[in-house]
Amino acid sequence: MPRCAVMVEPVPRADVSQRESLSREQALPHLRLGVLISGSGTNLQAIIEACASGRLPAAEIALVVSNVASAAGLQRALQHRLPALYLPWREPEESEQRLAALLELFRVDLVVLAGWMRILSAGFLERFPRRVINLHPALLPDDPSANVHIASDGSAIPAFRGLHAIRQALEAGVKVTGSTVHYVTPAVDAGPVLCRAEVPVLEGDSEETLHERVKAVEHELIIEAIARWRARELLGQP
C-alpha cells in the first residue's frame, strides 16, 4: 500500500510567542487594583496603559477613588470606563470606614496610593495588611529608622519624608533625588521599600522642572512595583 505523506507546517514564531505569553498570563493570579488619587492621575494613566498593553498581565483596575472632586484623574478613569468616584474626606474615621467598605465591595487585592494626599490610620491598614503601597517622590532608605539613603554614586541623600519632598531636595542642594514605592505603614513614608529609581538634580532646576522628570520615572516605577508586589505577596517569590 502506498504510504501517506503527512505535512506538518511549522508554527509561526508570532504564534509561539503569543502562546507563551498566554501561558504565562494564565499562570498568574488575577490582580484587582484599587487606585487612590488626589490630583491629575498621570500615574493612574500609566497603570491603565500597562494593564491594556499586557505589561501588567492578568491585572485590572477595579476601582479609582479620589478625595478631590475636581481631580483630573477621575476624568481619566471615566474616559476609560473604569469605576471611579469622589469620596469626601471630612471626618477621617468615617471616611476610612467608607473607603474600606468600597475596596472590599470591589474585591480589591492591592491598594495603590498614586498621589493620594491623605494619611491612612493604623486601623485602616490592619484591614489590608501588606496590601497598600505608596509612591513617594524621594529616595527612601531600606531601613525605616534611617535618615539617609546611599545613592549609586555613594552620596548620602537625606530621607525627604512627608510633604514637599521635591522642594526639600532642592533646598538641601542634593545632586540626586528620585522616587520610591514602599509598603504603607502607620509611620509616614517609612514602610519597607519595594523599588526605587534615581533622578539627577540639574543646575537651574525649579520645583516644577524637577517634579516633571521625577514623574516621568514614576510612570515606569509604579508598574515595576505592582509586578514585584504580586511576585512577593501572591506568588511567594523574592
Side-chain angles (χ1 to χ4, degrees), residues 97-119:
Q97 290 289 342
R98 294 173 64 189
L99 176 59
L102 284 166
L103 295 171
E104 290 168 352
L105 177 64
F106 281 82
R107 296 180 289 111
V108 166
D109 300 305
L110 173 64
V111 182
V112 181
L113 310 188
W116 173 256
M117 303 304 290
R118 287 291 181 269
I119 295 174

Side-chain angles (χ1 to χ4, degrees), residues 146-209:
N147 291 319
V148 296
H149 166 71
I150 305 302
S152 59
D153 64 0
S155 59
I157 309 299
F160 301 119
R161 297 185 171 97
L163 295 174
H164 310 302
I166 300 290
R167 186 185 306 170
Q168 291 181 61
L170 288 172
E171 291 174 348
V174 297
K175 300 302 182 184
V176 63
T177 185
S179 185
T180 304
V181 182
H182 62 92
Y183 289 90
V184 178
T185 60
V188 176
D189 300 326
V193 171
L194 270 166
C195 52
R196 67 172 72 81
E198 296 183 355
V199 175
V201 180
L202 305 180
E203 186 175 350
D205 257 335
S206 66
E207 189 172 351
E208 292 73 24
T209 59

Side-chain angles (χ1 to χ4, degrees), residues 12 15 18 57 88 93 133 151 155 162 169 172 192 205 220:
D15 289 349
Q18 289 173 359
E93 185 176 353
I133 62 175
S155 59
D205 257 335
E220 298 298 318

